Amino acid sequence: MSKKYNVAIVGASGAVGREFLRLLHQRDFPIASLRLFGSERSAGKKIIFRDSEIEIELLKEGDDFKDIDIAFTSAGAGVSKKFADTITRHGAVMIDNSSAFRMDEDVPLVVPEVNGEDAKHRPRGIIGNPNCTTIQMLVAVNPIYKISPILKIRVSTYQSASGAGASAMAELEKQISQYASGSPLTVEKFPHQLLLNLIPQVDIFLDNDYTKEEMKMYNETRKILHDDRIEVSATCVRVPVLRAHSEAIWVETESPVDISDVRRAMESAEGVVLADNPAEALYPMPFAAAGSDPVFVGRLRKDIASPTGITLWTVGDQIRKGAALNAVQIAEYLIRQKNI
Ligand SMILES: NC(=O)c1ccc[n+]([C@@H]2O[C@H](COP(=O)([O-])OP(=O)(O)OC[C@H]3O[C@@H](n4cnc5c(N)ncnc54)[C@H](OP(=O)(O)O)[C@@H]3O)[C@@H](O)[C@H]2O)c1
């Protein structure tokens, strides 16, 4: 009989945590036991998984992770930092969705389609799951990178409300009903009203006038590709979409690449679905991509502003491939490699 694993989800009540539960069930993940953790807000509540009810336990320091093999953590960077020792001290592999350790040298940062091998070297027992926008962008541009190294990426993101968590998505839904009934809008989760608006700020501004989210795309891309030549200039925008992020991407390769080679590479790339037929108005859109696994690519064309440029549009469900699915795929990769 094939091996089964004791699994924990930290942050089980959240947007990403709930997606973990759906994915572990849908993908028939080899689970021997499943434990769920949260704060005082959700501890004691019960969640149905497969045919049983599982009570959410309070996350606390101690030996609760003694028998856990794999811990999927998605409760924010502060929680990951505070509880990493508790989670990993008895040998559990912590696959962390937060930004807490992503840029630490002794923590691999992994997109399985791009650098799965890196997950095998994890001196602290922690594997970083990259930022959702970085995962999606790298799955989409990796087929081009394999033809010729990419030197520059310019990207503009269109990020959905749920990227900021379950309560941010609920706020956009509330704004829709408040607007329809003529009531004043509740604005708590974002710096401005999101409904009927675009907010060109995701996360806080840094000294160089980029936001933290934009610099994550710069730094994480270089780490995942092991390439310090590549430069990424991002503008991240929050849009009034409930779920699934979109990105307009312009890449410049080291040598010119043939667009038909890129198209062929996209058609066979792992994790990518090419949806690109302008004559039929076929291109990826968040409405259609929400809830699905692949990174969709469309509007693929030669960039008329650069002899080595390719431009494309990509859409992906950031709670799935941008978070929970990528983490589950890392675990599945390690299982296939008999490395866990
Ligand atoms: N949403 C996305 O698209 C996305 C994408 C990529 C990465 N991420 C990352 O994933 C993480 C979770 O995001 P989310 O969107 O799922 O947020 P969320 O919907 O706000 O959920 C947050 C989760 O964290 C738990 N939590 C908070 N404080 C805790 C504590 N002290 N101890 C234990 N659990 C605690 C909450 O449990 P209680 O309900 O019990 O408080 C809840 O389950 C964040 O680091 C985020 O940056 C999110």
Side-chain angles (χ1 to χ4, degrees):
M1 206 177 79
S2 55
K3 189 173 170 191
K4 295 198 168 175
Y5 297 84
N6 296 325
V7 174
I9 300 174
V10 175
S13 66
V16 177
R18 279 180 272 168
E19 203 61 41
F20 272 125
L21 287 157
R22 272 190 285 273
L23 281 163
L24 294 177
H25 174 61
Q26 287 166 358
R27 297 172 78 85
D28 206 14
F29 196 87
I31 295 176
S33 72
L34 178 63
R35 289 175 68 187
L36 309 178
F37 292 90
S39 75
E40 305 77 28
R41 277 183 297 270
S42 64
K45 288 188 185 152
K46 291 187 173 135
I47 289 189
I48 300 206
F49 180 75
R50 293 182 178 157
D51 288 329
S52 44
E53 271 191 340
I54 306 177
E55 187 169 313
I56 300 180
E57 301 173 52
L58 180 66
L59 180 66
K60 55 185 185 319
E61 278 153 11
D63 292 322
D64 279 347
F65 289 75
K66 195 165 180 298
D67 299 318
I68 298 294
D69 302 304
I70 304 165
F72 296 108
T73 52
S74 63
V79 175
S80 289
K81 280 188 184 148
K82 183 168 174 201
F83 293 99
D85 180 54
T86 289
I87 293 168
T88 58
R89 93 164 57 120
H90 297 289
V93 175
M94 173 177 176
I95 305 181
D96 186 35
N97 265 281
S98 82
S99 59
F101 309 108
R102 285 183 192 148
M103 294 311 296
D104 291 8
E105 268 184 21
D106 49 2
V107 172
L109 187 63
V110 177
V111 180
E113 294 87 339
V114 181
N115 66 331
E117 282 270 312
D118 287 356
K120 292 186 191 167
H121 181 65
R122 43 177 193 275
R124 287 158 69 186
I126 303 172
I127 299 169
N129 208 50
N131 193 46
C132 48
T133 50
T134 312
I135 295 175
Q136 183 177 329
M137 179 175 79
L138 288 188
V139 172
V141 304
N142 193 43
I144 305 174
Y145 192 90
K146 283 182 173 165
I147 301 173
S148 165
I150 292 170
L151 300 180
K152 283 193 196 313
I153 302 180
R154 295 182 180 83
V155 53
S156 193
T157 70
Y158 305 72
Q159 297 181 224
S160 64
S162 57
S167 56
M169 179 157 130
E171 180 166 297
L172 178 58
E173 287 171 322
K174 194 169 177 186
Q175 288 181 357
I176 294 167
S177 57
Q178 288 170 327
Y179 181 80
S181 65
S183 316
L185 304 192
T186 306
V187 179
E188 286 163 0
K189 297 290 165 191
F190 300 111
H192 304 278
Q193 163 188 335
L194 187 57
L195 182 69
L196 306 174
N197 199 14
L198 305 173
I199 305 174
Q201 176 186 357
V202 178
D203 213 325
I204 55 168
F205 282 98
L206 303 175
D207 288 347
N208 64 357
D209 293 335
Y210 281 82
T211 64
K212 209 168 164 187
E213 184 89 347
E214 291 160 357
M215 290 312 295
K216 283 178 189 170
M217 296 184 83
Y218 182 95
N219 292 315
E220 293 179 15
T221 295
R222 292 156 77 99
K223 176 165 177 175
I224 294 162
L225 290 171
H226 301 281
D227 185 346
D228 282 347
R229 289 195 304 163
I230 189 164
E231 295 194 287
V232 180
S233 180
T235 300
C236 291
V237 183
R238 188 73 66 188
V239 301
V241 164
L242 288 173
R243 188 166 165 154
H245 289 355
S246 307
E247 302 179 10
I249 302 174
W250 295 259
V251 305
E252 284 183 17
T253 50
E254 189 168 31
S255 17
V257 296
D258 195 306
I259 192 71
S260 53
D261 290 343
V262 173
R263 194 169 290 280
R264 259 195 306 279
M266 290 287 179
E267 278 163 357
S268 58
E270 198 188 340
V272 173
V273 168
L274 186 63
D276 192 21
N277 186 354
E280 304 275 338
L282 177 70
Y283 28 71
M285 291 183 287
F287 186 72
S292 54
D293 289 351
V295 170
F296 296 90
V297 170
R299 302 294 324 277
L300 189 60
R301 60 208 189 275
K302 227 23 219 167
D303 184 348
I304 54 169
S306 164
T308 58
I310 298 285
T311 184
L312 59 136
W313 169 255
T314 170
V315 179
D317 186 317
Q318 91 291 342
I319 306 181
R320 279 180 95 88
K321 183 56 189 168
L325 175 63
N326 195 70
V328 171
Q329 287 171 327
I330 292 171
E332 290 171 343
Y333 172 84
L334 294 174
I335 291 170
R336 278 197 308 278
Q337 297 286 317
K338 302 196 187 328
N339 191 260
I340 201 167

